[in-house]
Amino acid sequence: MLDQVKEHINKVQNFEAQSKEAIEAFRIEYLGSKGILKELFTKFKEVPNDQKKDFGQAINELKQKATDKVAQLKASLEDKQEEAGIYGDLTRSGYPIPVGARHPINVVKNQIIDVFSRIGFNVSEGPEIEDDWHNFTALNLPAHHPARDMQDTFFIQTDPDVLLRTHTSSVQVRYMENNQPPIRTISPGRVFRNEAISARAHCIFHQVEGLYIDKNVSFADLKQTLLYFTKEMFGKSEIRLRPSYFPFTEPSAEVDIYWGLETETDYRITKGTGWLEIMGCGMVDPAVLQNCGIDPNEYSGFAFGMGIERIAMLLYQIGDIRMFFENDVRFLKQFSNSL
Ligand code: 2NL
């Protein structure tokens, strides 16, 4: 009799089943109310006393093993069905992919592009590694100009000079070389200057430059275009142009917007004047047009340039330019609602 039980234990241990029905049949066979175990427990009474201990242990073991087997087979069948469910249904929706945020520099760059594209400007781009001609010479920056100094410009090679562009005017020089007026283009991009890094200055920053060339373009056109831009971008409707100097424009001016003096921050950023400098501009120097293959007797134009970081710092009240380059997610996450 004991041998019979041991045989059952062996059978139970080796039992395998792939279907719910087979598992249920096995359960009924061993653990059912008319099953093998019920029968064995009944027989227990007839077992001679000296064998009761061994027999009792054996049928208890059999009961435990059968119960475990049923549970184990059921669980593994469920796992398999779940897997089939996951891989079998190709119409299921995907796992959510966390969406990142646009970098604030790109948010502001896109806004600027948007404003100018509404009045017919296209977007032009060019290389970050430039030659002397496109970055300096064509733009009327003479050989002794301080911008050409090692202290201001990153040279990759000298004689002939290869350098990291210090402004995106180089893109516009290339654009003029390859296109005749009318030209309306803006050139956003990364520029490089060998500056000591601080809260206000960085050796890498971003610019948007604009160029408009056609017949009879006047300083009044420049002023009205910039007024349109400041209204759209900042919602401010008062600007002033202060005389300034750039080698590539004549006359040249700095553009201030009236920011106001409503808050303490306004006082701080405008140094108590209410006025804020946001860009530089001017009428393209005839010599620059000539250098780029455009007849200055037939055409005139204006150009302007602004730093994207500076604009973003004003719009988002960012106090330190280095934040843009650290890529700290706590900083970047704050722009996840921006366009
Ligand atoms: C500034 C001032 C400026 C220009 C950029 C330009 C480009 C060509 C010809 C003439 Cl191809 N001018 N660009 C003109 C005036 C000012 O930028 O403060 N930028 C951050």
Side-chain angles (χ1 to χ4, degrees), residues 107-142:
V107 172
V108 172
K109 181 185 87 173
N110 289 343
Q111 275 177 331
I112 297 170
I113 290 173
D114 210 51
V115 170
F116 281 107
S117 69
R118 291 207 288 274
I119 53 169
F121 281 75
N122 65 14
V123 176
S124 48
E125 287 182 310
E128 293 181 344
I129 297 173
E130 268 296 2
D131 52 38
D132 175 284
W133 172 258
H134 293 98
N135 197 75
F136 294 131
T137 308
L139 286 158
N140 240 5
L141 276 137

Side-chain angles (χ1 to χ4, degrees), residues 109 112-125 171-172 175-176 178-188 208-213 304:
K109 181 185 87 173
I112 297 170
I113 290 173
D114 210 51
V115 170
F116 281 107
S117 69
R118 291 207 288 274
I119 53 169
F121 281 75
N122 65 14
V123 176
S124 48
E125 287 182 310
V171 178
Q172 305 188 309
Y175 195 87
M176 285 190 278
N178 295 310
N179 298 275
Q180 278 299 305
I183 290 172
R184 291 183 212 92
T185 193
I186 54 169
S187 315
V208 176
E209 287 213 5
L211 181 70
Y212 190 131
I213 298 172
F304 53 87

Side-chain angles (χ1 to χ4, degrees), residues 72-303:
Q72 178 225 317
L73 287 175
K74 272 189 181 164
S76 102
L77 187 68
E78 270 167 23
D79 279 355
K80 276 189 196 140
Q81 280 172 339
E82 198 178 289
E83 257 176 51
I86 287 169
Y87 297 111
D89 179 11
L90 297 178
T91 65
R92 75 195 187 279
S93 52
Y95 292 112
I97 298 164
V99 178
R102 230 181 263 293
H103 193 281
I105 292 298
N106 282 328
V107 172
V108 172
K109 181 185 87 173
N110 289 343
Q111 275 177 331
I112 297 170
I113 290 173
D114 210 51
V115 170
F116 281 107
S117 69
R118 291 207 288 274
I119 53 169
F121 281 75
N122 65 14
V123 176
S124 48
E125 287 182 310
E128 293 181 344
I129 297 173
E130 268 296 2
D131 52 38
D132 175 284
W133 172 258
H134 293 98
N135 197 75
F136 294 131
T137 308
L139 286 158
N140 240 5
L141 276 137
H144 53 267
H145 195 280
R148 288 177 168 241
D149 198 273
M150 287 276 191
Q151 305 229 301
D152 295 292
T153 303
F154 290 112
F155 287 87
I156 289 171
Q157 182 193 296
T158 50
D159 199 21
D161 290 344
V162 179
L163 47 96
L164 298 180
R165 68 182 180 196
T166 59
H167 43 206
T168 56
S169 313
S170 56
V171 178
Q172 305 188 309
V173 169
R174 288 175 181 277
Y175 195 87
M176 285 190 278
E177 286 174 339
N178 295 310
N179 298 275
Q180 278 299 305
I183 290 172
R184 291 183 212 92
T185 193
I186 54 169
S187 315
R190 192 157 62 151
V191 300
F192 308 84
R193 290 185 195 174
N194 192 2
E195 303 214 30
I197 294 168
S198 72
R200 294 157 167 276
H202 207 283
C203 57
I204 301 171
F205 62 100
H206 298 76
Q207 258 197 327
V208 176
E209 287 213 5
L211 181 70
Y212 190 131
I213 298 172
D214 205 345
K215 287 179 176 152
N216 303 314
V217 176
S218 72
F219 201 87
D221 297 323
L222 168 59
K223 193 175 176 192
Q224 203 60 30
T225 303
L226 297 181
L227 183 60
Y228 158 76
F229 170 71
T230 54
K231 278 182 182 168
E232 293 292 307
M233 196 70 193
F234 303 103
K236 310 277 180 186
S237 55
E238 206 182 337
I239 62 171
R240 71 179 184 193
L241 299 178
R242 276 180 295 111
S244 184
Y245 173 79
F246 300 107
F248 26 82
T249 45
E250 180 61 35
S252 307
E254 303 285 354
V255 184
D256 297 342
I257 55 178
Y258 190 70
W259 192 260
L261 281 173
E262 276 161 36
T263 68
E264 214 162 315
T265 311
D266 295 346
Y267 264 88
R268 186 167 44 76
I269 62 175
T270 68
K271 297 189 185 90
T273 66
W275 290 93
L276 204 55
E277 183 184 321
I278 53 153
M279 61 169 115
C281 67
M283 300 306 289
V284 180
D285 193 302
V288 173
L289 293 177
Q290 187 84 58
N291 288 340
C292 300
I294 291 170
D295 184 356
N297 295 314
E298 200 178 341
Y299 295 106
S300 59
F302 62 75

